[in-house]
Amino acid sequence: MIFNERIECLPNAKLKELQGERLKNFVANIHAKSPFYQKKMAESGVSPSDIKTIDDIVKLPFTVKDDLRDHYPFGLFIEPMEAIQEIHVSSGTTGNPTVVGYSREDIDLWADVIARSLCCAGAEAGDMIQVAYGYGLFTGGLGLHYGSLKLGLTVIPCSSGQTKRQLKIMNDFKPRILACTPSYALYMAETARELGVDPRLSSWQIGIFGAEPWSEAMRKEIEKAWNISAIDIYGLSEIIGPGVACECHLKKGLHVPADVFYPEVIDPKTLEPLASGCPGELVLTPITKAGMPLIRYRTRDIVTIDHAPCACGRTSPRISKVLGRTDDMIIVRGINVFPSQIEEVLLAIEGTQPHYQLVIDREKSGLDRLEVLVELEPSFFSDEVKQLQSFEQHVAKEIETVLGVGVKVRLVEPKTIERSEGKAKRVIDKRSI
Ligand code: DLL
């Protein structure tokens, strides 16, 4: 089912017309109300009257995360506080957290795009959904909540954590849909097995997973563990939260509601637009947002984009799974490494578990050292040191073939790597400590 067929299946020319109209009003409104953008646009030599069609978007300046941090907490809100209904905060690793504000229209928009996402994923009015994303300042819980209400689902607002209780609720209430981070879905499966419950018999048929990178191999693990269809949902607080893109049942890319979030893919170095299919940084402009609208926001997420219509009937462009982030890319001895590449390799090897961590350090000689910690399935654990060493070497070789850089692999005992109820921490970079 398609939530809003008229919009989601709009022919390309009509979509462009609508986007152009919206962009024009969007820029005029921001320019009238935001001293920050008045200055930024003046510096770029562009004025609202230069924006006539959606293609004129390239004339506009970019916005980056530091712009939000520099105007902490409310400097980029363009509506008075009375018009802001809700505030969320995304914690970063450095500096001020990112604060985002939603007007009433923005909350409606959020509910709408998530209702579209849920529908895209296969949910239908009358279904029951267990929302196990964190409720609170994080956008995951409340975002899925609003969208579920809009679509007419019955919501169980579990939030994340209390895994045993999550499992009991699943078992007793029998929801058809689960929404949480992919790493939490795996953690819950592990806990279920420990409790003697077979996760393959769960009531969940569809899982709506996102908020962190996860590979195709991880998808297979989760689908096998829970016997469900695992759907990828993407989003970021600065744009709205979850609901910026979501897969349909065909899983051939994540549909972007481009009538409200205009996507571009650029080369992060030259800032030039890239052709469909070329990996680059995703830039988004939420062309109908009111409370804290951003122009050409650089997400730092690396994706490819496909403008061809999907066999599901939707004409919206689709982005690939997130391939990495410009800032989680680790540079080891000059070679660019994305954790997702290592994840793919690890999960393709029989005997390893989907729990891993990457530790980067600098040797005395000044050379970077990348150590890959990975858990072994209990049945593969051996008392024979030699056997373990040869397995480590085998894994290291497989990774080296893909990355082109030498790594050290350390097999660790089951349950040694910290489990996550939210976003998993995959990389520990000791070079900056
Ligand atoms: O993680 C919003 C969200 C909640 C998305 C629930 C999906 C489900 P932030 O905390 O602001 O917002 O983090 C945004 O998380 O720029 C990506 O790097 C990463 N991310 C989000 N979804 C995915 C995904 C939420 N499906 C940052 N795959 C983004 C890979 C993702 N990375």
Side-chain angles (χ1 to χ4, degrees), residues 294-312:
L294 301 178
I295 295 178
R296 301 188 87 196
Y297 185 68
R298 292 185 56 183
T299 64
R300 306 195 211 183
D301 292 316
I302 311 270
V303 300
T304 61
I305 194 160
D306 182 355
H307 290 278
C310 178
C312 75

Side-chain angles (χ1 to χ4, degrees), residues 90 133 138-140 144 209-214 232-238 241-242 254 299 301 322 325 423:
S90 154
Y133 285 112
F138 175 54
T139 52
L144 265 294
F209 303 124
E212 63 182 1
W214 55 307
D232 194 352
I233 186 167
Y234 166 83
L236 62 164
S237 321
E238 297 90 318
L254 289 80
T299 64
D301 292 316
V322 173
R325 277 180 60 81
K423 300 184 189 235

Side-chain angles (χ1 to χ4, degrees), residues 106-253:
D106 296 335
I107 295 284
D108 284 348
L109 169 68
W110 198 14
D112 194 79
V113 289
I114 295 194
R116 286 198 213 178
S117 296
L118 288 164
C119 230
C120 215
E124 284 177 25
D127 279 336
M128 191 185 280
I129 183 169
Q130 183 162 353
V131 178
Y133 285 112
Y135 278 63
L137 293 176
F138 175 54
T139 52
L142 281 166
L144 265 294
H145 192 98
Y146 296 148
S148 298
L149 296 181
K150 179 124 191 194
L151 182 58
L153 308 187
T154 306
V155 194
I156 320 172
C158 284
S159 196
S160 59
Q162 302 209 39
T163 307
K164 280 188 191 163
R165 193 181 66 174
Q166 301 270 5
L167 295 170
K168 180 165 171 51
I169 284 176
M170 180 269 287
N171 191 52
D172 297 350
F173 300 3
K174 310 236 177 302
R176 196 168 83 89
I177 303 166
L178 165 69
C180 66
T181 60
S183 53
Y184 191 42
L186 277 177
Y187 176 28
M188 282 199 281
E190 189 176 57
T191 308
R193 285 187 214 103
E194 280 168 12
L195 295 171
V197 177
D198 184 350
R200 287 169 305 176
L201 304 177
S202 85
S203 66
W204 295 322
Q205 292 173 13
I206 299 173
I208 299 178
F209 303 124
E212 63 182 1
W214 55 307
S215 61
E216 280 302 333
M218 184 71 92
R219 185 201 311 263
K220 286 205 191 84
E221 287 283 334
I222 297 174
E223 292 195 325
K224 197 169 78 189
W226 284 109
N227 190 21
I228 53 171
S229 173
I231 296 285
D232 194 352
I233 186 167
Y234 166 83
L236 62 164
S237 321
E238 297 90 318
I239 296 303
I240 203 147
V244 174
C246 187
E247 285 176 335
C248 65
H249 66 285
L250 298 169
K251 301 178 192 167
K252 294 262 163 59

